[in-house]
Amino acid sequence: MPTFALSYATAFYGTDPDRLVTAARLAEECGFEALYVPEHVALYPGAKIGEWEVPADLEFLDPLDVLTFVAAHTERLLLGTAVLLLPYHNPVTLAKRLATIDVLSRGRMRLLGIGVGGLPGEAAAVGVDFRTRGRRADEAIEVMRRLWADEASGATFEGEFFHLDRVFSYPKPLAGAGLPIHVGGSSEAAARRAGRVGDGWFPGGALNDAERQTLWDLVRATAEKAGRDPDSIAYMRTGSLEMSTEYAERLAAQGVTRVVVGAPAGEADEQRAQLVEFAERFGLGDR
């Protein structure tokens, strides 16, 4: 059986800090492993994700600030992003922020999901050429890993977008190997990136089971080609609070290691009832 995490999008659940804390504490109390939050840096009229036109006034709080806040009000929940739009961040400052959260949370910043973004206007708003976002993400992953490494000579990197010459960045993440990076996305490029350099893969989009399996096979094949162990790559999928144990077992049979479900709606008592019922259904308190 996979582990389970909760996803909390302020664009849909609101920005009330009390509601956020209540959901996070209930998730921890009920035995959920982690809490994920998404990111959008900037929206604009006409922006579309698939066929859905994204309202420009949705309130996406900064995910790393949200996770810092959650960490201060919980004790065990792992902290995750699904997904952080990596090409829209400077990897040097991002590496510092992520390591800081990891240190302050005593090592709980373990589920860094990254994506490349799908809205051209969002890229333009932060001065990034939309066509280069994949290459930028690849370089950013390497830059952060070099900054997190404990090298006596510092981090050196020469790329198309980023240049480091014996640069040091402290603190380091508490786990010596740096932070795991999980690649999000439902494209072949995302699957290949996950297999080549990712610690996990989190597909999104409106994929059917056959399409998703084809991409997962591509993740594993790419890992093998790169000389990596495909069994070391975590596989995340979305689910719902209404999902059955049989469905979770089918996901596990496909190699899924973690299922992420949306936070419950309603007031605190309703949220508690939904999370407790889910936890009892899957025996989360027994793990």
Side-chain angles (χ1 to χ4, degrees):
M1 188 72 71
T3 60
F4 295 92
L6 204 67
S7 175
Y8 194 101
T10 59
F12 303 110
Y13 302 115
T15 60
D16 178 14
D18 292 334
R19 181 183 176 88
L20 171 60
V21 167
T22 296
R25 285 176 168 168
L26 284 174
E28 184 170 74
E29 177 186 325
C30 289
F32 285 80
E33 179 191 31
L35 185 133
Y36 281 86
V37 290
E39 176 177 51
H40 275 293
V41 179
L43 297 173
Y44 53 95
K48 282 190 172 184
I49 298 175
E51 296 301 314
W52 179 52
E53 184 166 331
V54 185
D57 61 352
L58 290 181
E59 295 186 282
F60 283 93
L61 294 184
D62 180 273
L64 301 190
D65 291 333
V66 169
L67 292 177
T68 304
F69 183 73
V70 167
H73 289 85
T74 56
E75 296 179 356
R76 299 180 304 279
L77 273 183
L78 299 183
L79 309 172
T81 55
V83 291
L84 188 80
L85 302 179
L86 185 55
Y88 307 157
H89 294 268
N90 181 294
V92 177
T93 55
L94 183 59
K96 169 78 75 173
R97 291 185 69 194
L98 289 164
T100 298
I101 295 172
D102 193 59
V103 169
L104 294 178
S105 67
R106 295 183 173 86
R108 289 191 278 148
M109 185 66 240
R110 306 305 300 165
L111 300 173
L112 173 61
I114 63 94
V116 300
L119 301 178
E122 189 170 23
V126 294
V128 169
D129 183 345
F130 189 70
R131 298 167 298 180
T132 70
R133 68 198 193 285
R135 302 200 305 277
R136 283 179 176 271
D138 289 339
E139 286 195 12
I141 290 170
E142 182 64 22
V143 166
M144 290 194 298
R145 284 178 168 160
R146 294 195 184 192
L147 289 168
W148 290 331
D150 193 14
E151 296 290 342
S153 58
T156 296
F157 179 83
E158 187 67 29
E160 180 182 359
F161 306 102
F162 306 107
H163 312 275
L164 303 178
D165 182 14
R166 295 169 296 174
V167 174
F168 292 83
S169 180
Y170 290 93
K172 306 293 185 186
L174 293 187
L179 300 181
I181 297 176
H182 297 171
V183 177
S186 55
S187 66
E188 290 187 0
R192 286 192 294 268
R193 181 173 294 111
R196 192 174 64 253
V197 299
D199 298 292
W201 181 53
F202 196 165
L207 300 173
N208 60 40
D209 286 344
E211 292 168 334
R212 203 173 275 110
Q213 185 61 49
T214 296
L215 289 175
W216 178 232
D217 291 341
L218 179 58
V219 171
R220 295 178 60 84
T222 304
E224 288 184 346
K225 186 176 180 180
R228 307 178 66 216
D229 178 8
D231 291 334
S232 69
I233 299 175
Y235 182 10
M236 278 69 65
R237 287 275 291 276
T238 57
S240 72
L241 288 172
E242 295 76 31
M243 65 188 289
S244 66
T245 56
E246 291 78 14
Y247 179 68
E249 288 168 353
R250 289 200 300 273
L251 292 181
Q254 296 168 19
V256 173
T257 53
R258 182 178 296 106
V259 176
V260 183
V261 302
E267 298 304 318
D269 288 346
E270 298 172 274
Q271 294 178 49
R272 177 181 294 276
Q274 292 180 69
L275 291 179
V276 166
E277 196 280 329
F278 185 94
E280 290 176 347
R281 192 186 324 147
F282 289 97
L284 299 191
D286 302 329
R287 297 187 177 196

